[in-house]
Amino acid sequence: MKKFLIGIAMFFTVMMMCVVSAGAEIYGDYEYEVLDGGTVKITDYTGSDYNVEIPSEISGKAVTSIGDYAFSGCSSLVSIAIPDGVTNVGNYAFRWCTSLASITIPDSVTSIGYYAFGECSSLTSITIPDSVTSIGSSIGGFGLYGAFHNCSSL
């Protein structure tokens, strides 16, 4: 009976993994989804590079968004370059990237999500372009606090 229950549990675990990854496409170390407008949102980064330049195009489609949690927990990441054309950095996109010291945000970015760079304790400076009109706020309403929460070196 115990083996049967373990088998059932494993079956449902595998099924849930299939449902969660349905629709995700792979390009190198990136998982992405094609949005309704024919552009791309990066949904996950599975690599371990120190310095990453996000591609401006994937399969001939423009990358316009960094999704929620896309790079979250990439503790080896030291620098990231977001390509021109990206307009949105999602919630928690770079959370817990504890080695992240340098980030390039292009003028095309208009919104930075809540906790987007939370816990990036090695981040010492960041330039937010004038094009950014929305920075995710915490419950208390402090946008910079929410997006850069616990960035102790900033």
Side-chain angles (χ1 to χ4, degrees):
M1 183 67 170
K2 187 176 181 181
K3 286 182 182 180
F4 175 75
L5 291 175
I6 290 172
I8 294 285
M10 289 181 70
F11 172 78
F12 282 109
T13 301
V14 169
M15 291 302 294
M16 288 303 297
M17 288 172 52
C18 290
V19 168
V20 168
S21 62
E25 299 186 46
I26 307 290
Y27 175 82
D29 291 332
Y30 300 95
E31 285 186 18
Y32 68 96
E33 69 180 66
V34 178
L35 303 174
D36 288 340
T39 61
V40 166
K41 173 171 65 173
I42 303 288
T43 57
D44 194 21
Y45 175 73
T46 59
S48 57
D49 292 338
Y50 298 117
N51 305 302
V52 172
E53 269 189 54
I54 298 171
S56 59
E57 285 188 355
I58 293 178
S59 300
K61 296 171 179 62
V63 174
T64 59
S65 184
I66 309 300
D68 296 349
Y69 300 95
F71 290 82
S72 184
C74 293
S75 59
S76 63
L77 189 62
V78 174
S79 72
I80 186 96
I82 298 172
D84 194 35
V86 168
T87 58
N88 177 55
V89 176
N91 298 326
Y92 305 94
F94 296 94
R95 182 182 185 201
W96 289 110
C97 293
T98 54
S99 298
L100 184 63
S102 170
I103 184 151
T104 303
I105 300 177
D107 288 335
S108 59
V109 171
T110 58
S111 68
I112 297 173
Y114 175 72
Y115 230 85
F117 299 97
E119 313 297 336
C120 292
S121 55
S122 296
L123 192 60
T124 57
S125 70
I126 189 165
T127 301
I128 300 172
D130 291 338
S131 59
V132 174
T133 57
S134 171
I135 298 176
S137 63
S138 65
I139 293 169
F142 301 104
L144 289 175
Y145 174 77
F148 299 95
H149 182 72
N150 278 345
C151 292
S152 55
S153 298
L154 190 60

